[in-house]
Amino acid sequence: MKQTGSEILCESLLKEGVEVIFGYPGGQVLPLYHTLTDYPKLRHILVRHEQGAVHAADAYARVTGKVGVCLATSGPGATNLVTGLANAYIDSIPMVAITGQVPMAMIGRDAFQEADITGITLPITKHNYLVTDVNDLARTIKEAFYIAGTGRPGPVLIDLPRDIQQAAAEFHYPSKVHLPGYKPTRAGNQLQVKKAVKLIGEASKPVIIAGHGVRISGAYKELRQLAETTNIPVITTLLGISSFPETHELSLGMLGMHGLACANMAVTDSDLIIAIGMRFDDRATGKISAFAPSAKVVHIDIDPAEVGKNVKVDVPIVGDVRTVLLELNKEIAPGDHSDWLSRINGWKKEYPSGVEIRESDTILPQYVIRKIWEKTQGQATIVTGVGQHQMFAALHYYYDKPNSFITSGGLGTMGFELPAAFGAQVGLPGEPVWCIAGDGSIQMTIQELGTIRQENAPVKIAILNNGFLGMVRQWQELFYDHNYSATPLWCPDFIKISDGYSIPARNVTCKAEVEAAIEQAAATDGPFILNFIIEPEENVYPMVPPGAGINNILHEPKKEAC
Amino acid sequence: MAAAKHTIVALVADRPGVLNRMASLFRRRGFNIDSIAVGHSETPHLSRMTIVAEGTTTQVEQIRKQVEKIIDVIRVQDITSQDIVTRELALIKVKATAENRSEIMQIVDIFRAKIVDVSAGSVMVEATGDEEKVDSLYNLLKPFGIMEMTRTGRIAMPRGDQVNRRTDVESEK
Ligand SMILES: Cc1ncc(C[n+]2csc(CCOP(=O)(O)OP(=O)(O)O)c2C)c(N)n1
């Protein structure tokens, strides 16, 4: 029996185990939306903007490890996905985005709501397709999910002309893909593993830098075993946060521009870096020529193109992080690095900035984050926007639960937090999800409060409201002569906004209320918004000035006693 | 390390957009493509591309790895340091008069090029060879007045029994 393209799509999604689609309808996906109601197992969630759909699918994928799915109409619907696709691409998130397209006969004629979305998304997708024959549809979907979810994950876009959605074909879902140009490696080369073991055995000042790859491959146990057996401290990148328990004695926290001094000093002074599933982003390395000048580098990554891209690597091991760590752990010998660790502990004590929170009568953002950590015991999933609040959330919450820090690391996309927190909550029903928002960042996608309300998602939203585009203001203060050009930001009354969306909310204007407010939000069923009026010109410390080496650290200046 | 011209050959699926993907990747990574030539290979549904680009060995190795990630690319190699045969084809239209036509023909002969069209005021020359040969011919013809020239860019293949193909790929739909 023949089925329509729309039916074939829905059947294929079921075969792929898809449960949720984040989407927004329009003329060129109407046939598909018409069919969707026949597939109640495919839960469609209507967002308020396509950017909301793609970020929600992104975070859903991050927390579940499944391929996130979003759906948009042609033209403006499709182009609204662009930021989110770029975000998912740079952070290696498995995703399939489906867009409607004008009917085949109209492609290339500047038809109403036509946009060349495969052309537009070419550099920001792992792969993309324009389906021109309904007989290719099932195979295309199979391939798309396979490509999105294997190797180094990434977003794949399928552009589906309206007439292909309506055309009919026999439905056969292929059991295998045939992609001769795509063969991701999983197992690391044995010889390289042996070389790594040797280097690790010889090192006296080794560090592990754990990145997003540890989380993507789910190698928490294996990483911990490696660190504990060898007694090597673990530093994470921003996206590596929550790959290793941060209250563990071997944890040194994050490195890089806003990394902790002990992490940056340890990396700079190290004689061996074991880089695991991280890509030496410039925010992590600082000035490359000053980066770990005397360290040898073992680099484990699934993407061969990452090896040697930014720093010189002595032992490259291309493969899935978990698979490689399993191999490595079989061969590794116990180590003792107590001298090295006590040196690092010295730095920890010497430079408490980024850890200690100073006394203040006003509400400090660090304090808010710390109180949320205390309340949630490091077991919540924290989702952030981009700005100072993101860095405060990275530094002052202690992530003990694997995979619990969701942030836009590579692209740095403001507006990520609210839809992503929603998407994470959909992936983690019944679990605590906290959205740490900037007053600027949240206003980029604030309409997703509508989605949160409609779905009654119990996301707790903490706005760190400083009345500034804080991170940019910080740069202006430190590097642009205090010239606050376009960074003071008028904010709406967030309580009235919340009221408009029927979401309970509360302003928090003095320090004494902070704990009770967090308590109230956590105790409320359903969503809750806390608007923290924080110290407006608080800065993120420590900080490495842009372009400097990561051991060139600005610490929090001592406030004069008054 | 010095930047030099590299010859990269790639076996790619014959699908719409592959050339675009390739060119876009080079552009995005800040590489200038000197030339890119593409056509069918010995295997149905697979094309072979020759790309000439300038960079250091490390840069070119990085771009090669990035190219390898394109799903439609089956195999890609930098064959610069191998023993290779390179060719390009050029068509050159030169101004010609009854007086200088035989002089032009002599030059064309020396280069074992061919005259493929003659009109009252012009001749069209077809030349194949490596770039240097085509360049020299062009330089000698220049004084007569070049009206138009078109070149294919380099195609290349290693000498001997070595092949750049995937034996496990018979055909690809
Ligand atoms: C879409 C987008 N536009 C601009 C920027 C540049 N940017 C980075 S941080 C920042 C300020 C963020 O302000 P806010 O959300 O209020 O957070 P805060 O830094 O005050 O915590 C800006 C404008 C960005 N990262 N993303």
Side-chain angles (χ1 to χ4, degrees):
Chain A
M1 191 193 68
K2 289 198 168 184
Q3 292 183 289
T4 66
S6 294
E7 287 165 341
I8 290 172
L9 178 67
C10 291
E11 297 284 351
S12 305
L13 294 178
L14 286 177
K15 296 257 187 223
E16 290 297 335
V18 173
E19 291 167 347
V20 185
I21 303 168
F22 301 93
Y24 209 97
Q28 306 304 346
V29 274
L30 267 178
L32 184 51
Y33 271 90
H34 183 61
T35 304
L36 263 180
T37 51
D38 296 334
Y39 291 83
K41 277 193 176 156
L42 294 171
R43 172 180 171 202
H44 178 275
I45 294 176
L46 176 67
V47 294
R48 297 300 178 267
H49 183 294
E50 288 85 354
Q51 187 179 350
V54 60
H55 288 330
D58 173 318
Y60 174 86
R62 288 187 206 227
V63 299
T64 61
K66 296 172 72 171
V67 176
V69 179
C70 60
L71 171 59
T73 191
S74 67
T79 55
N80 273 349
L81 296 178
V82 167
T83 302
L85 288 170
N87 188 77
Y89 183 64
I90 197 160
D91 281 356
S92 311
I93 306 304
M95 180 188 293
V96 169
I98 299 155
T99 49
Q101 183 53 279
V102 299
M104 296 263 288
M106 291 168 77
I107 291 178
R109 299 180 178 214
D110 300 324
F112 177 65
Q113 293 195 330
E114 182 192 353
D116 171 18
I117 197 65
T118 44
I120 291 170
T121 59
L122 201 72
I124 52 167
T125 49
K126 188 171 171 186
H127 194 52
N128 64 22
Y129 295 91
L130 168 65
V131 181
T132 55
D133 181 344
V134 68
N135 292 297
D136 292 340
L137 183 56
R139 175 184 59 79
T140 303
I141 297 163
K142 176 83 189 175
E143 285 180 9
F145 274 84
Y146 179 70
I147 292 169
T150 53
R152 177 178 182 167
V156 177
L157 182 134
I158 304 174
D159 201 23
L160 206 53
R162 197 180 65 205
D163 48 341
I164 303 290
Q165 297 166 41
Q166 289 160 319
E170 288 291 339
F171 175 61
H172 297 293
Y173 203 61
S175 56
K176 276 207 223 103
V177 292
H178 175 65
L179 290 164
Y182 181 69
K183 293 226 160 58
T185 359
R186 282 192 71 82
N189 180 298
Q190 280 299 321
L191 206 75
Q192 297 298 94
V193 170
K194 289 213 159 52
K195 279 194 204 160
V197 169
K198 185 158 173 287
L199 277 189
I200 294 170
E202 290 165 1
S204 56
K205 297 185 288 178
V207 295
I208 291 172
I209 305 180
H212 198 195
V214 176
R215 298 171 59 186
I216 293 172
S217 74
Y220 311 101
K221 243 179 50 204
E222 291 73 18
L223 170 62
R224 193 163 167 174
Q225 189 187 335
L226 174 69
E228 287 176 350
T229 313
T230 55
N231 214 21
I232 295 177
V234 179
I235 294 160
T236 66
T237 64
L238 177 68
L239 281 177
I241 288 178
S242 75
S243 62
F244 188 77
E246 288 194 326
T247 53
H248 196 288
E249 56 179 8
L250 286 170
S251 168
L252 302 189
M254 177 174 79
L255 93 158
M257 179 173 274
H258 290 295
L260 295 177
C262 62
N264 286 2
M265 310 278 268
V267 168
T268 307
D269 205 36
S270 66
D271 63 357
L272 177 70
I273 289 173
I274 308 161
I276 310 181
M278 57 84 72
R279 59 189 180 86
F280 297 98
D281 180 281
D282 55 280
R283 279 291 192 271
T285 61
K287 187 166 87 184
I288 281 284
S289 56
F291 181 74
S294 41
K296 293 216 158 91
V297 177
V298 172
H299 190 183
I300 305 171
D301 203 292
I302 197 155
D303 182 354
E306 284 305 333
V307 178
K309 186 175 86 178
N310 296 330
V311 305
K312 209 180 126 285
V313 173
D314 299 279
V315 180
I317 310 180
V318 175
D320 168 66
V321 163
R322 185 164 171 270
T323 316
V324 173
L325 286 184
L326 280 168
E327 290 301 313
L328 198 59
N329 282 339
K330 273 191 220 153
E331 314 245 337
I332 208 81
D336 172 25
H337 298 289
S338 31
D339 285 357
W340 173 228
L341 288 169
S342 65
R343 177 125 175 243
I344 290 171
N345 278 325
W347 286 323
K348 270 192 190 173
K349 292 207 186 73
E350 199 178 336
Y351 305 111
S353 98
V355 182
E356 262 180 20
I357 302 169
R358 69 167 197 279
E359 277 305 314
S360 165
D361 296 335
T362 56
I363 304 179
L364 294 181
Q366 300 91 319
Y367 179 78
V368 175
I369 302 288
R370 195 59 66 81
K371 289 295 165 194
I372 293 173
W373 170 67
E374 282 173 12
K375 170 68 202 160
T376 57
Q377 299 285 301
Q379 296 300 310
T381 294
I382 302 291
V383 186
T384 81
V386 170
Q388 292 180 316
H389 62 281
Q390 175 188 33
M391 292 302 146
F392 289 130
L395 290 169
H396 293 277
Y397 192 96
Y398 296 110
Y399 298 85
D400 279 343
K401 186 183 152 186
N403 201 26
S404 57
F405 180 60
I406 307 294
T407 199
S408 164
L411 198 66
T413 309
M414 281 173 75
F416 178 74
E417 65 265 59
L418 198 58
F422 168 69
Q425 187 76 78
V426 171
L428 300 170
E431 292 188 34
V433 174
W434 280 77
C435 171
I436 310 294
D439 50 334
S441 194
I442 198 173
Q443 288 189 62
M444 288 204 170
T445 49
I446 198 162
Q447 67 279 18
E448 296 309 328
L449 287 174
T451 313
I452 287 173
R453 176 72 286 164
Q454 186 162 351
E455 298 292 324
N456 196 26
V459 180
K460 313 303 174 199
I461 300 153
I463 304 172
L464 299 186
N465 188 341
N466 53 10
F468 278 110
L469 297 174
M471 185 58 97
V472 181
R473 187 208 54 74
Q474 174 168 348
W475 283 50
Q476 289 170 333
E477 177 188 329
L478 299 176
F479 312 115
Y480 291 88
D481 204 17
H482 285 76
N483 179 8
Y484 292 172
S485 169
T487 44
L489 176 78
W490 179 87
C491 286
D493 180 338
F494 285 113
I495 304 303
K496 282 192 180 151
I497 299 264
S498 314
D499 205 28
Y501 282 106
S502 302
I503 295 178
R506 121 172 217 192
N507 285 324
V508 188
T509 52
C510 72
K511 194 176 171 184
E513 287 174 50
V514 170
E515 270 180 86
I518 291 169
E519 188 63 48
Q520 185 187 0
T524 304
D525 283 339
F528 200 97
I529 298 174
L530 295 169
N531 181 34
F532 292 98
I533 308 300
I534 59 166
E535 175 67 40
E537 294 188 42
E538 187 62 18
N539 286 341
V540 184
Y541 287 107
M543 175 173 199
V544 173
I550 51 168
N551 55 340
N552 209 321
I553 304 162
L554 304 176
H555 297 281
E556 179 161 7
K558 293 260 177 303
K559 291 262 153 57
E560 313 244 323
C562 41
Chain B
M1 214 179 301
K5 279 207 169 119
H6 285 251
T7 304
I8 299 158
V9 290
L11 195 62
V12 304
D14 198 355
R15 291 219 182 107
V18 179
L19 182 60
N20 189 6
R21 276 176 211 284
M22 191 71 96
S24 145
L25 188 124
F26 274 78
R27 183 192 49 74
R28 186 165 93 80
R29 302 269 170 192
F31 262 83
N32 202 16
I33 297 181
D34 270 22
S35 78
I36 187 164
V38 53
H40 294 302
S41 74
E42 69 287 342
T43 314
H45 309 297
L46 294 185
S47 296
R48 184 166 276 113
M49 277 186 196
T50 310
I51 300 157
V52 180
E54 194 167 303
T56 65
T57 312
T58 339
Q59 286 170 331
V60 173
E61 179 55 9
Q62 170 60 209
I63 195 97
R64 192 196 64 75
K65 286 179 179 172
Q66 296 291 350
V67 168
E68 194 126 73
K69 293 200 323 187
I70 299 176
I71 307 287
D72 289 329
V73 171
I74 286 146
R75 186 155 193 234
V76 51
Q77 276 184 300
D78 180 354
I79 58 168
T80 316
S81 60
Q82 294 183 27
D83 187 7
I84 54 176
V85 176
T86 70
R87 286 290 178 273
E88 89 167 295
L89 169 67
L91 293 174
I92 309 169
K93 195 181 285 179
V94 194
K95 276 192 193 142
T97 60
E99 295 77 56
N100 67 15
R101 189 166 289 136
S102 67
E103 196 185 335
I104 293 176
M105 284 169 74
Q106 263 180 10
I107 295 170
V108 167
D109 264 357
I110 294 167
F111 279 85
R112 280 193 239 132
K114 266 196 284 189
I115 292 194
V116 289
D117 186 47
V118 181
S119 71
S122 71
V123 296
M124 194 197 295
V125 180
E126 172 199 307
T128 59
D130 56 24
E131 290 96 308
E132 291 76 44
K133 173 178 161 186
V134 177
D135 287 346
S136 323
L137 175 62
Y138 172 82
N139 286 331
L140 286 174
L141 293 176
K142 213 163 149 188
F144 299 96
I146 306 281
M147 298 165 70
E148 212 178 336
M149 174 169 73
T150 181
R151 297 171 71 155
T152 58
R154 182 188 299 179
I155 57 170
M157 200 178 265
R159 287 183 195 276
D161 297 337
Q162 255 192 37
V163 285
N164 178 312
R165 67 183 282 194
R166 281 273 295 262
T167 38
D168 56 323
V169 182
E170 272 324 309
S171 74
E172 231 259 313
K173 201 189 154 248

